[in-house]
Each structure stands twice: as structure tokens, then as C-alpha cells.
Amino acid sequence: MQLLGLWLWLSWGCAASQSSSCLSAQFRRPGDFILGGLFPFGKDTVNLAERSEPTLLQCETLFTEGLIWALAMRFAIDQINNSSSLLPGVTLGYDMYDTCFEPLVALQPSLLFLTRSGTTGIGVLCDYTDYQPHVTAVIGPHKSDLCLVTAKLFSYFFIPQVSYAASSETLSDTKLYSSFYRTVPSDKNLVEGMVQLLNHYSWNWIATVASDDEYGRGAQALFLNVAGNNNICIAFEGYIPTDPAEPGATRQLENTVKAINSANAGIVVLFAHSMAAQALLQHSIRMGLPKKVWVGTETWMLSDIVISTPNIQNIGTVLGFVMRTGTVPGFQEYVAELFSSVEQEEFCQRSRELNRLMNTNVLDTHCQQCGQVTLGDIWPTLQVATVQPVQMAVYSVAHALHRALGCNSKSCPKTPVKSWQLLNIMNNLPFEMNGQSFKFDQSHGTNTGYKLIFWAWRDGTLTHLSVGDYEQNLYIRNAEIQFHTADKKEPTSTCFRRCQQGQIRRIKGFNLCCYDCTDCPENTFWSSSESTSCSQCPQHQWAPTRSTLCHNRSERFLFWDEPLALALVTLMALTAALSCVAALLFLKHLQTPLVQVAGGGRSLFALLWLLLQSLSCCLYVGRPSTALCELQQLSYALCLNGCFSTFVPKALEITLVTEFPRCAPRLLRWVSHGRAWLLVAASILAQLSLCFCHVHLGSDQLVADYKSLPREVLLVCGTQSWAAFALLHGYNSCLAFACFLCTFMVQTPARKYNVARGITFATLIYFVIWIFFVLIFATLKTVLRAVTQIGTILATALGILASYFLPKCYILVFRPDLNTRDYCQNATEEEPEEDRQ
């Protein structure tokens, strides 16, 4: 007898008990099966009861559903093994494992059954043509999330995997999941039927909710796409947690119920598994959500967990689609006979013998819950359970094996079969079961159509009433549906909303009825109720958000009464006062050696220009004009030049004496005494010519800036030509740099006044201030632009006063004993170095 390995894999959640009995051992039958025995539940390494704390009823329901799937698989395999025509002479072996709804748990048996036959190692090869894995095919699991984890893995090894419940459209990608098959339609077929149902009743304003898992996200995304193409508007779309006991789940469910209520949609489409759906419906009842029409799927519509929710009949009308499946003849009798055999000692003795033969070193294979299950526990679920897809999954593999082995009606040749050989056969070969013919389509799925189910309550008892059918077109028996409305007629749920003043309708997608009310943004206004867009305000006006008219902009500049302006004016007055005080001291001591060595009358001239420079700050305060803008840069450059021009003769004089002693006697007369004024005048004339060039090339002009401030028009003096700006102020920079070079290396003999140090620090401070000024001035476009210019002017004036004039004033007032010809000897009066040698 030839033996083949077939892994049958199912998935359910928690269990209600922890004991075991002879039924447990029957699910571990090694016997003549090459892969061990049937092991439906395995070790609960991740127990759902420990994770999500479900009710006892939820545990029992999940366990019962899983047990029924296991029994359906065993029933199908026993039918095939007892068949004289499908696989004559061949016995299928099988193992079963519980996935516990956990991908990690699902991977454990996955890796076990990918191992090379007869070993515990997985071969890593470039070519798997001759690779013989532990199993020939995989049945299950039932959840899309788990199939997405395992389908790529089995596709890599070319092992057929047939799921009996995974419906995610993502799994239809045959390039990515080449060996994945399913005996149920994909969610794409389901959502197309839902859209036809909504269109049938003209419901185009709906809410849609999905569980936050692969099934929910994928189904809702498909639904939104198909609904959008059929002019169905989505009032609300959201997700609910798959595990109601996880942190924050209660708040998320409550927020979802509130959103559904505020959306004012009478229809709710729900894609979720039983526990997530039950949690949402329970919160809807508790929070008093008005009755709705709930459109669902068989993942929760047929679940005892949902039906057992207190006051579930108060949620409204429930309509949904379930797969159209046929009955499985003999299955209920098979289950009844199996449970009656459990009570016989012969059955239990055989089970204990099989239990001792089972190897549990790799994965513990005890079914610890089976011993507490009775036929009465599973019989209600057995009456409504959908088991035909499970049987179809097993038969699809069996028929592929029949073709791969080359079997006839009497026997099968003893030919080795590799898993990959089944793939092409399953793609093209129809298979029969219970007198019906089935075939996988191009996406490796089957579409047997759907039934439209209505929850009919009669005397407090729920009946799943079939009220329509859908395969490609929807047929509904309207007379059999009684809605929750007073007249038992279908409610209306259309997309009709009134936007408030200042709001426009923003169309979503291509559906004219699907829109959001969007506030008009700043500087736009709503002109009429028929407007589809917000009108732009004129440049001289502004508008707040959600406005119906525009307002005139106010002017913005540096006002005289602003605190910042008052502070700057105060600082300006202080700087002007210091200049005046210094000038009076210099005038009083004009003939003293210290004032003479500092430049004499030229120092008074420099202080006068510093005073004018300080007073020029008034040009930057108040409403600017074109004339003021033209004067601002000119006054600053000219006043600063008047000060620096007085430093030039003194700097040249110091350089000639210290660096060029041989030429000093001949040249000093051109830079000292009366002729020094010629240099001052020449410098000022040069600056005046540059001022004319600045005006000709492009002086600063008044600019009205409507973009920098949202509600005001900014009046600033804008630089028209940076080349003219650089030319105007570059000359002063050259003078300062020349003075700095002439004085920064000069060393004065001990006990002598160092007049060069003041010039050095004055010019150095100027350069530091201007580096920061240029960087800030070039980027600012607000009122701070004028503040920056005022700050630069005052900082420059104060820097020159502090470094050049105030030290001399200190000597004049507090140290008159140093104001002597010996201490303040003029450079022109010193003996050249060659004469002193």
C-alpha cells in the first residue's frame, strides 16, 4: 500500500476545559499514516483565553467551530480512503494543528512540515524538483492573516496550500502566492454583491467599519473602491480592534459608535470576525445607537458569539451574504457515530494504544479539550456550520493526486509524487464531489455564489432566512424582508448635506453626491450657496477662515508708539547725548595734548557726524514714503563716511611714522594739520558721488508687501539694486579696512598714549556689526527690517564712541594728569627711529 502525506490544518481560538480522554487520543492516530496521526488542536502555546479574556461562551463557540472543521476534514479523508475509485490502494495520512489565531504559532507546524521527509531539517536548495518535504499538501488555515504569513513560504517550496475560508483579495495574486488555493470566493465577489444590494435600495449614504486585520482592511479597501465607482458615498469609515480586551479597545469602540451616530447614515457595512463584531454591536446597544441596517458577512452573521449578545434584536435590521454551499451527505451521522463510539471501551483502548505510539518530541500533540466535548455541545453549531468548503479542499488535493499518480478506477501505480506536480493539475483539472463539479479559477479560487441572509426574529428566536441569491447578479425577494421601520419598509439613506455659510462642497473622488464641507481658507470668501470654490480676496483685502466677505488690510510699519520703537528712540537719544557730551568735552579741551593727538578739530567733526547718524534713526520710524526710503541708506552711508574720513589722516600719519620713517618727514605734512582736511573733504566728495550713483542705479523704494502678513499690508523700504547697495556701503568698508590695516600692528612705547588702538577697535566693531547686519537684513521682510537698520546704526555709533572717544573723555575728566605732552606726544613730533639710533 502506497502512503502519501497530507497535512490538514485548521484554526480556532480558545478552549473551555483542560482534560483529555479517549476522544483526544483518536485525534492522534499514527497507525498506518506516514506523517503520524490526526492532531486537531495541539498544545495551546498561545491560548486566546489568556490573551483576550473572552467569555466562556465565546471560548466554547470558537472551540466548537474548530472541532467541526476538524471532523469535516477527517470525514472527507475517511471517505477518500474508503473510496474504491478515487485513490484505490492509497491511504492518505494527516496531521492537524491549532493555529490559535497567531501567526507565530502557525509557523511552528509550517516549518515542521517543510522538513525533508524522514528528517527534522529543511533543505536550502537552488532547485526543489527532487525535494521531498514532510507533506504533500496543506489544508488551511481559515484566516487570511495566517494565510498571508504561510502562503509565500509554501509557494517557495511548491507545496499546494488550500484554504477553506481565507477570502482576502491579496491572496488572488498568483505570482506572489503561486501555490495557494481556496475553496471560497475572494472578497472582491462579496463587495460587488454588497454594492448591488445598496444600489437596489438606493442607499448611497453609508458608514463602513472593519476589523483592524488583513481581512477587514482588505475587504473595506475593496468595498470603498467598488462603492466609489457606483456613486455610493461614505459618511464614515473606520476600524475596530480585533481583540476587544486590548488596551484602548473600549475607547476606540465607543468613538466608532459615536462617529457612526454623528454621520447620520442609516446603513452600516461591517467587515469583521465574530469577536470584533460582537464587541461593536454590544457597545452600540449599550450606548443607545439608533436602529440601523447592518450589512454583514458570514464571518459574524452566523456566529453564536454575536447572536448571544444581550438585546441583539434591538440593533435594527441585519442583512448579509453567506456562501452558497451544499449539504455534506452523511456528515452529521458520521459525527454522531463517532461520539457514540467514544463511550465504548474498545474505542478507548484503541485510542490509548495510538497515544503511546505518538512521538511528541517535536510538537506536543495532545488535544487537552476533546474529553469534555459531547455531541450535545456541538450539535446546534453542527446544524448551521459551513463544512462543504473543507470537504472541497480535501477533495481538490485528492483529485490532483489521482491524476498525478495516473490512477484508474481499480488501482493507482506505485509512482512517487512530488508536491509541485500537483500545481498544474489543480490549475486545470475540474474535480467532483457529491455529484457536483468544481474548478479553480484563474486566481486559484472557487465561486459558488452567495445567499442573501436576513435575521428574522420570531418570538425571540433568530432564524437565518434566505431572501435572495447572488452570483453575478443579485435577486432579492423583497416581500420576505421586514425592516425595523414603523411601516416595515426599507429606510432611506441618501447623501444630502447642507454646508454652512463660509463652507464649500469638496467633491470626493468622482461622485457628485460624495463631498465634504470644507471651510474657505484665509484670504478667500464664500460668495453664494451655489459656489463650488472659494473666491480670492483682492490684494488689498483679507478674510479670516470661513468668511463670507473681505476686509480692508491695515497698514503695518514701525509705529512711534510701539514699545520697540520707544525703546529704540530712547537708545537713539542716549547715543546722541553721548555724542554731544563728548563733543563738548573735546571742545573745552581742544588745545590740550590728548585732543590734539586724537585729531583736534577733526574729532569734533567726527562727533558731529555721529550725532547726525544717531538722529537719522528717525527716518526709519513712522509711515515710510518714497523720499524717506531714498534718504535712509544715503544718510547712513554719508554720516558714517564723515566719521571714518577723519580717521584716515590719523591712520596714515601713524603708519608713516612707524612703518616708513625715512619717508615720514617728507609726507607727514600731507596728512597732518590743515592739509588733513583735504583728505577728509576728498573722502566725503567720493562718498557723495557714490550716493548719486546709488540714486541713479536704483535707490530703495517703498514696497507694499501683501504676502508676509495675513491681515495687514506691510510697508517697507525695499532694496531695488543690491549692486548699488554694495557700492554705496562698500566705500566705507574700504576706508575702515584701510584704517584697520594701518593701525592694528602699531606698538606704542611704554608710558605713551596709544591713539592707534582706538581706531583699530572702532573699525573692528564696525566689521562685526556689519557681518550680522547683512545676514539679517537680506532675509527679513517684516517690520523687523527697520528695527535691524536702526539697531545697526546705533550699534555702530555706540561702538565708535565706546572704543575711540569715551576712553579719551575718561582721561579728560578723571585723569587730567595724563593729559600732558609727554604722555600724549603727537606722532609728528616724535623723532624718527633713524635719528634716535
Side-chain angles (χ1 to χ4, degrees):
M1 178 181 294
Q2 182 176 340
L3 303 179
L4 296 176
L6 176 65
W7 178 30
L8 304 186
W9 188 17
L10 62 152
S11 171
W12 58 95
C14 54
S17 64
Q18 298 296 325
S19 63
S20 61
S21 71
C22 57
L23 180 61
S24 166
Q26 270 297 309
F27 286 115
R28 307 179 43 204
R29 219 175 121 194
D32 55 355
F33 301 116
I34 190 171
L35 297 183
L38 178 59
F39 174 56
F41 307 114
K43 182 179 180 180
D44 289 336
T45 53
V46 179
N47 192 307
L48 185 61
E50 297 174 2
R51 289 190 304 109
S52 58
E53 300 178 2
T55 64
L56 181 60
L57 177 60
Q58 291 173 341
C59 288
E60 292 174 347
T61 302
L62 292 170
F63 174 77
T64 302
E65 291 175 352
L67 178 59
I68 291 174
W69 290 330
L71 293 171
M73 291 181 187
R74 175 171 172 169
F75 173 72
I77 293 176
D78 284 350
Q79 278 188 323
I80 295 168
N81 287 339
N82 294 329
S83 173
S84 60
S85 59
L86 183 53
L87 289 175
V90 175
T91 301
L92 296 178
Y94 50 92
D95 279 0
M96 292 187 187
Y97 286 87
D98 179 14
T99 64
C100 300
F101 292 121
E102 291 291 339
L104 181 60
V105 179
L107 283 176
Q108 292 177 338
S110 299
L111 297 175
L112 174 64
F113 286 96
L114 288 175
T115 59
R116 193 188 298 269
S117 180
T119 70
T120 58
I122 299 177
V124 181
L125 309 173
C126 295
D127 185 1
Y128 284 93
T129 303
D130 297 324
Y131 186 77
Q132 185 64 55
H134 205 56
V135 300
T136 303
V138 176
I139 306 298
H142 86 291
K143 286 193 68 176
S144 298
D145 301 65
L146 304 182
C147 288
L148 289 171
V149 173
T150 59
K152 288 183 182 179
L153 189 62
F154 290 123
S155 296
Y156 184 76
F157 285 83
F158 304 106
I159 298 177
Q161 178 184 359
V162 188
S163 174
Y164 48 86
S167 59
S168 173
E169 177 64 16
T170 306
L171 294 165
S172 297
D173 188 349
T174 56
K175 293 182 179 179
L176 195 59
Y177 309 101
S178 57
S179 70
F180 178 81
Y181 299 83
R182 55 184 163 199
T183 53
V184 294
S186 76
D187 291 331
K188 183 178 180 181
N189 304 93
L190 175 65
V191 300
E192 289 174 348
M194 285 184 167
V195 169
Q196 288 195 28
L197 172 66
L198 299 174
N199 285 334
H200 175 81
Y201 289 109
S202 299
W203 293 331
N204 67 352
W205 185 244
I206 65 170
T208 174
V209 182
S211 55
D212 194 10
D213 55 15
E214 178 59 33
Y215 166 73
R217 290 189 298 268
Q220 180 160 278
L222 280 172
F223 176 78
L224 295 175
N225 183 45
V226 178
N229 294 331
N230 286 269
N231 294 323
I232 294 176
C233 306
I234 308 301
F236 167 76
E237 58 181 275
Y239 295 97
I240 56 177
T242 56
D243 185 354
E246 68 183 22
T250 300
R251 176 173 293 183
Q252 187 174 350
L253 288 166
E254 291 176 349
N255 291 338
T256 301
V257 174
K258 292 177 182 178
I260 294 174
N261 188 40
S262 62
N264 199 26
I267 314 300
V268 182
V269 178
L270 177 58
F271 299 99
H273 289 285
S274 57
M275 292 187 65
Q278 189 266 349
L280 177 64
L281 295 176
Q282 186 178 30
H283 279 78
S284 300
I285 297 170
R286 181 179 61 83
M287 297 174 65
L289 183 71
K291 291 183 177 181
K292 308 284 184 183
V293 176
W294 295 83
V295 180
T297 66
E298 66 180 301
T299 54
W300 64 270
M301 286 192 59
L302 302 180
S303 171
D304 288 341
I305 295 176
V306 177
I307 297 171
S308 63
T309 304
N311 300 316
I312 188 65
Q313 64 271 19
N314 296 330
I315 64 172
T317 303
V318 178
L319 287 170
F321 292 88
V322 300
M323 265 195 319
R324 188 170 57 199
T325 59
T327 59
V328 179
F331 177 61
Q332 293 184 11
E333 293 79 3
Y334 174 83
V335 175
E337 182 181 355
L338 178 62
F339 274 87
S340 64
S341 300
V342 173
E343 301 175 359
Q344 301 176 10
E345 180 60 28
E346 182 182 352
F347 181 89
C348 292
Q349 180 64 30
R350 176 59 177 163
S351 297
R352 285 189 287 269
E353 292 176 1
L354 296 176
N355 192 27
R356 286 193 296 270
L357 296 174
M358 195 65 186
N359 182 8
T360 60
N361 291 332
V362 179
L363 285 178
D364 192 354
T365 56
H366 286 84
C367 170
Q368 299 178 348
Q369 296 80 31
C370 298
Q372 295 296 316
V373 181
T374 65
L375 183 60
D377 294 331
I378 70 169
W379 192 256
T381 307
L382 189 64
Q383 299 294 320
V384 297
T386 303
V387 297
Q388 188 187 41
V390 180
Q391 190 182 31
M392 289 171 58
V394 179
Y395 267 83
S396 65
V397 176
H399 279 272
L401 286 170
H402 180 92
R403 174 65 65 87
L405 290 169
C407 300
N408 53 39
S409 59
K410 296 183 179 180
S411 63
C412 293
K414 295 182 179 181
T415 305
V417 176
K418 301 294 191 298
S419 298
W420 59 267
Q421 293 177 291
L422 304 181
L423 297 180
N424 288 334
I425 299 174
M426 295 177 69
N427 290 340
N428 304 301
L429 178 68
F431 59 94
E432 292 186 358
M433 187 188 71
N434 300 329
Q436 293 180 283
S437 180
F438 304 94
K439 184 180 180 180
F440 292 111
D441 56 26
Q442 292 182 348
S443 60
H444 293 180
T446 59
N447 185 9
T448 58
Y450 292 91
K451 291 188 298 182
L452 180 62
I453 297 297
F454 166 65
W455 276 14
W457 292 95
R458 295 170 183 171
D459 299 328
T461 303
L462 174 63
T463 301
H464 297 97
L465 184 63
S466 176
V467 294
D469 296 281
Y470 170 74
E471 190 163 350
Q472 291 183 347
N473 296 305
L474 179 64
Y475 169 72
I476 302 178
R477 295 181 288 275
N478 295 288
E480 300 182 25
I481 303 177
Q482 293 184 351
F483 290 92
H484 61 269
T485 53
D487 57 0
K488 305 300 181 183
K489 300 296 184 181
E490 67 271 11
T492 59
S493 185
T494 57
C495 181
F496 180 77
R497 301 171 63 192
R498 286 189 179 275
C499 293
Q500 299 180 9
Q501 288 191 352
Q503 294 182 322
I504 60 169
R505 289 186 292 180
R506 184 76 64 189
I507 305 299
K508 297 173 66 176
F510 301 98
N511 308 305
L512 296 179
C513 73
C514 191
Y515 59 83
D516 290 327
C517 290
T518 305
D519 294 342
C520 287
E522 287 187 352
N523 296 326
T524 63
F525 69 99
W526 176 79
S527 56
S528 68
S529 59
E530 302 300 324
S531 298
T532 58
S533 62
C534 300
S535 301
Q536 189 72 32
C537 289
Q539 185 174 252
H540 66 283
Q541 292 182 324
W542 72 278
T545 302
R546 198 171 168 177
S547 176
T548 58
L549 51 88
C550 295
H551 309 279
N552 291 327
R553 290 176 179 266
S554 59
E555 294 181 343
R556 184 70 175 98
F557 45 84
L558 188 61
F559 292 92
W560 282 99
D561 56 353
E562 286 189 53
L564 186 59
L566 292 175
L568 292 173
V569 170
T570 302
L571 184 62
M572 176 195 70
L574 176 62
T575 306
L578 288 175
S579 301
C580 293
V581 170
L584 291 175
L585 283 175
F586 271 59
L587 180 62
K588 180 180 179 180
H589 302 87
L590 183 62
Q591 303 302 323
T592 61
L594 180 60
V595 175
Q596 289 298 314
V597 77
R602 295 193 304 275
S603 295
L604 291 175
F605 188 73
L607 288 170
L608 175 62
W609 284 110
L610 286 180
L611 174 63
L612 294 176
Q613 179 179 331
S614 301
L615 296 177
S616 70
C617 293
C618 296
L619 299 175
Y620 297 90
V621 186
R623 191 183 189 282
S625 63
T626 301
L628 288 176
C629 290
E630 291 178 350
L631 286 175
Q632 284 178 357
Q633 299 299 331
L634 298 178
S635 62
Y636 178 39
L638 192 59
C639 291
L640 190 61
N641 180 265
C643 179
F644 281 161
S645 62
T646 63
F647 291 165
V648 173
K650 179 57 65 175
L652 292 176
E653 178 183 323
I654 294 171
T655 301
L656 289 174
V657 172
T658 58
E659 302 297 332
F660 305 100
R662 296 182 183 274
C663 304
R666 186 174 66 255
L667 299 176
L668 278 176
R669 62 179 181 270
W670 294 100
V671 295
S672 60
H673 304 297
R675 295 184 180 182
W677 287 99
L678 295 176
L679 287 176
V680 174
S683 176
I684 294 176
L685 288 175
Q687 185 64 56
L688 285 173
S689 64
L690 292 176
C691 289
F692 284 112
C693 292
H694 180 266
V695 173
H696 179 72
L697 292 176
S699 58
D700 290 3
Q701 297 294 323
L702 179 63
V703 176
D705 184 2
Y706 295 95
K707 296 181 179 179
S708 297
L709 301 176
R711 303 182 180 185
E712 300 165 311
V713 53
L714 179 64
L715 300 180
V716 293
C717 294
T719 302
Q720 303 299 308
S721 172
W722 286 102
F725 180 89
L727 187 66
L728 179 67
H729 295 284
Y731 179 64
N732 285 333
S733 299
C734 292
L735 288 182
F737 187 65
C739 293
F740 179 79
L741 289 180
C742 291
T743 59
F744 85 103
M745 290 294 290
V746 172
Q747 294 183 1
T748 302
R751 302 182 64 81
K752 295 289 185 180
Y753 181 74
N754 190 348
V755 69
R757 185 183 295 119
I759 298 176
T760 301
F761 281 104
T763 53
L764 182 61
I765 290 172
Y766 164 78
F767 283 121
V768 172
I769 292 172
W770 259 80
I771 288 173
F772 287 99
F773 167 71
V774 171
L775 294 176
I776 298 174
F777 184 76
T779 56
L780 282 178
K781 293 183 179 179
T782 63
V783 175
L784 295 179
R785 186 182 176 100
V787 173
T788 303
Q789 290 179 288
I790 295 174
T792 302
I793 292 172
L794 295 179
T796 305
L798 287 173
I800 295 174
L801 286 171
S803 59
Y804 189 78
F805 291 102
L806 293 185
K808 298 174 178 59
C809 292
Y810 174 79
I811 294 176
L812 293 175
V813 175
F814 299 102
R815 295 296 302 275
D817 57 303
L818 297 179
N819 191 4
T820 62
R821 181 176 297 275
D822 182 55
Y823 182 73
C824 304
Q825 187 176 0
N826 199 320
T828 57
E829 299 175 358
E830 294 181 3
E831 296 181 8
E833 292 184 5
E834 59 180 0
D835 296 337
R836 293 197 299 264
Q837 292 177 352

